[in-house]
């Protein structure tokens, strides 16, 4: 898809990757609306991006997601793409996980994005794109990250079916599977402490790969372990 002039709704824009993606899209000439949970950071980001439309939402609250999607489409005069960059992580042995934490991980990482995309689909123009942030752990489930890995694998599996089902509308579904990125996400975990992690990727590498993937209609952004870099598939 052509990013210049594209109307793109970025959810989770109050986060580090979501904010960087919104900035990258604006710099690429897209018209962006941003959605997030923290009202102060959302207002500051919208102002920083030049006064773009902003919608408050909690991805766990289906109604707030639906209303936010409608507002974003109204503000931009329709949508060409939706980017969902919200997410949470939790650490610890699977056998010891707290039920409430497990529920929140799946609600935010899996059910919330699925519901947001369903809300956005009728508002999206044919030929556009759905962009979902899963993670490398979707393909490589990781010790002490069982729930996070499973929540991302479920989202990724759903995305792969959605992609096939949306073919008649020429809507691309880009599944972004980064390894550890230096955003501080792991220090905001719902539970537990992160295992020792290698140095993370720079957020700009993710932004560049996502924008390239949107432009070319790629299916996935994945890590090439030999090159240590993100590539399109
Ligand atoms: N950083 C990594 O190493 C890495 C690697 C692979 C995949 N990812 C994925 O990339 C995405 C972005 O992560 P990040 O590193 O940018 O982390 P981040 O800075 O912590 O951003 C997470 C975002 O999720 C939002 N969020 C959490 N719960 C929410 C809820 N109930 N309703 C609405 N928004 C909610 C936060 O909103 P508020 O701040 O407004 O509360 C924030 O905007 C996540 O899906 C993450 O799993 C990250």
């Amino acid at each position: 898809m052509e990013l210049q002039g594209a109307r793109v709704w970025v959810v989770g824009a109050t986060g580090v990757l979501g904010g960087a993606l919104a900035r990258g899209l604006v710099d690429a000439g897209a018209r962006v609306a941003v959605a997030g949970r923290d009202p102060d950071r959302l207002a500051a980001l919208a102002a920083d991006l030049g006064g773009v439309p902003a919608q408050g939402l909690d991805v766990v609250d289906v109604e707030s997601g639906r209303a936010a999607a409608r507002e974003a489409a109204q503000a931009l005069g329709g949508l060409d793409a939706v980017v969902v960059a919200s997410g949470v992580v939790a650490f610890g042995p699977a056998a010891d996980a707290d039920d409430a934490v497990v529920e929140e991980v799946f609600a935010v990482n899996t059910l919330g994005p699925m519901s947001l995309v369903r809300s956005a689909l009728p508002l999206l123009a044919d030929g556009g794109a759905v962009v979902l942030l899963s993670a490398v752990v979707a393909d490589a489930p990781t010790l002490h990250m069982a729930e996070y890995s499973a929540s991302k694998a479920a989202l990724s599996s759903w995305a792969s079916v959605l992609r096939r089902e949306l073919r008649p509308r020429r809507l691309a579904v880009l599944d972004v599977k980064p390894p550890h990125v230096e955003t501080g996400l792991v220090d905001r975990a719902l539970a537990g402490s992160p295992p020792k992690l290698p140095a993370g990727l720079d957020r700009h590498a993710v932004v560049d790969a996502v924008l390239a993937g949107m432009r070319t209609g790629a299916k996935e952004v994945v890590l090439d372990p030999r090159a240590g870099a993100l590539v399109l598939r």
Side-chain angles (χ1 to χ4, degrees):
M1 67 181 286
E2 172 60 64
L3 292 181
Q4 177 71 42
R7 301 157 298 178
V8 186
W9 188 37
V10 182
V11 180
T14 47
V16 174
L17 286 178
L21 284 164
R23 163 60 67 193
L25 285 160
V26 167
D27 290 347
R31 292 175 52 223
V32 166
V34 289
R37 183 171 55 171
D38 184 287
D40 296 336
R41 263 185 291 127
L42 183 64
L45 175 76
D48 195 45
L49 294 176
V52 302
Q55 305 77 41
L57 92 177
D58 187 323
V59 302
V60 171
D61 175 357
V62 170
E63 262 320 309
S64 84
R66 261 191 217 129
R70 278 195 303 267
E71 275 174 46
Q74 209 163 20
L76 297 176
L79 294 176
D80 296 298
V82 57
V83 178
V84 184
S86 45
V88 287
V89 69
F91 300 105
D96 299 343
D98 179 82
D99 285 323
V101 169
V102 177
E103 269 180 39
E104 185 165 353
V105 167
F106 277 84
V108 176
N109 290 355
T110 316
L111 301 176
M114 287 163 59
S115 172
L116 283 171
V117 170
R118 282 195 298 272
S119 296
L121 280 175
L123 307 164
L124 277 170
D126 290 358
V130 172
V131 180
L132 294 165
L133 273 279
S134 67
V136 70
V137 296
D139 295 332
T142 300
L143 289 185
H144 288 199
M145 296 174 70
E147 299 75 30
Y148 182 70
S149 302
S151 72
K152 295 296 192 177
L155 181 66
S156 198
S157 171
W158 180 79
S160 72
V161 175
L162 184 72
R163 181 181 302 118
R164 283 146 60 200
E165 291 178 353
L166 291 179
R167 223 174 264 155
R169 291 185 59 191
R170 292 174 296 103
L171 271 166
V173 176
L174 179 61
D175 184 358
V176 185
K177 298 175 166 174
H180 176 49
V181 187
E182 295 294 348
T183 67
L185 171 72
V186 297
D187 303 315
R188 294 185 281 281
L190 296 180
S193 309
K196 197 165 161 37
L197 294 163
L201 282 187
D202 184 88
R203 73 191 71 161
H204 298 107
V206 180
V207 174
D208 291 348
V210 170
L211 266 54
M214 290 176 76
R215 286 191 172 104
T216 57
K219 292 179 181 168
E220 292 184 330
V221 172
V222 294
L223 179 72
D224 175 347
R226 268 180 293 180
L230 295 172
V231 293
L232 301 178
R233 258 203 318 224

